[in-house]
Amino acid sequence: MTKFVWLICFFSIVFSGCKSASILEEPQNTTTQKITLGSVGLNKKFILQKEFNGAAVPKYQQPIKLTAYVVPFTKGKYKSFLKAKALQSSPVSVNYIDSIAIKPQYLRFKIADKVALIGALNGNENENIKRYLSSNSSSNLVTSLSVVFNKPDLKLIQEATAVFLVENGLKNYALQLYKDGVKSDLIQFNKGVVIEYNTSSCCWQEDNRHHVNIVDLVEKYNNCPNKTYRASNKAKKELKLF
């Protein structure tokens, strides 16, 4: 193998490894709050921490597909868990020993079906929430959540072939698990302890009928697609110039 070819292979391996690892290493906000996946609000910065000021929980009439990743505890995450557990009053137990190589795990959930989520936000059932998002350009949506469950629930989620966010009661959401296309277990979010979250901002665009709609959701450090805007009033103003 020539030196040139060897270098190409080497850099391909390095970059592909970074890409796969970045799924779990994207920045997350540590929290002690019982935050709901899919809720709307504002990030508030305090002296030592960042908290989410929840404003509303949209109505999701159809299940929203999620991705679920297993993440091993670190010493820092275990400390975050203990703080969160004390305030969230959930009966979750984690046996973390720093000297033991195999660490306990928690789950990170992320919205997988953005199309379904955006459709719900633009729907008549969420008209007031869409108006709130439109009038508050700094508002955002919780699209990623790290939750610690007891081992039995963790095992059920790990073994599921699909996980959906579903409404179970009035604006009370749960995890609907599927195995090979068949509904299996329903796990309430409040059975776990929330330790991290991440948010996304709305990208707006005006349609042919001059209605400004949400067309995409992007995380903090990402830009909205071309000809879409984080501020809804800017979307309307810019598109009417042509």
Side-chain angles (χ1 to χ4, degrees), residues 30-185:
T30 301
T31 186
T32 57
Q33 299 172 276
K34 201 76 166 178
I35 298 172
T36 302
L37 189 61
S39 59
V40 169
L42 301 167
N43 284 320
K44 294 291 185 182
K45 290 184 178 179
F46 297 97
I47 296 174
L48 297 177
Q49 63 183 352
K50 189 175 185 180
E51 291 292 350
F52 185 73
N53 185 15
V57 180
K59 186 172 182 60
Y60 299 119
Q61 296 178 336
Q62 299 300 320
I64 306 292
K65 188 172 175 50
L66 308 177
T67 52
Y69 303 105
V70 176
V71 187
F73 268 97
T74 62
K75 190 174 183 178
K77 288 294 185 290
Y78 181 63
K79 288 181 179 179
S80 297
F81 161 71
L82 293 178
K83 290 179 182 178
K85 179 184 176 181
L87 294 174
Q88 295 180 31
S89 302
S90 294
V92 176
S93 177
V94 174
N95 185 25
Y96 179 89
I97 301 174
D98 194 39
S99 59
I100 295 178
I102 300 176
K103 298 294 190 290
Q105 300 169 320
Y106 62 93
L107 287 159
R108 183 171 297 165
F109 301 97
K110 188 171 182 178
I111 301 293
D113 191 348
K114 284 203 301 182
V115 173
L117 186 71
I118 291 168
L121 293 173
N122 285 319
N124 293 332
E125 68 274 18
N126 289 311
E127 183 178 353
N128 290 336
I129 289 175
K130 183 183 175 184
R131 189 179 300 115
Y132 171 83
L133 289 167
S134 176
S135 60
N136 293 274
S137 59
S138 58
S139 60
N140 41 45
L141 194 80
V142 177
T143 51
S144 177
L145 208 62
S146 295
V147 188
V148 184
F149 287 102
N150 277 321
K151 283 185 177 180
D153 291 327
L154 175 66
K155 188 172 185 293
L156 287 172
I157 298 167
Q158 282 182 286
E159 293 175 348
T161 54
V163 181
F164 287 81
L165 177 72
V166 296
E167 191 170 16
N168 186 40
L170 184 60
K171 294 195 176 182
N172 182 35
Y173 288 92
L175 297 167
Q176 178 63 67
L177 308 184
Y178 282 77
K179 278 189 177 181
D180 301 319
V182 179
K183 283 185 181 180
S184 55
D185 299 277

Side-chain angles (χ1 to χ4, degrees), residues 183-203:
K183 283 185 181 180
S184 55
D185 299 277
L186 185 72
I187 298 176
Q188 299 290 343
F189 263 113
N190 59 18
K191 291 183 69 177
V193 174
V194 179
I195 60 171
E196 293 174 325
Y197 74 98
N198 205 359
T199 58
S200 296
S201 300
C202 297
C203 296

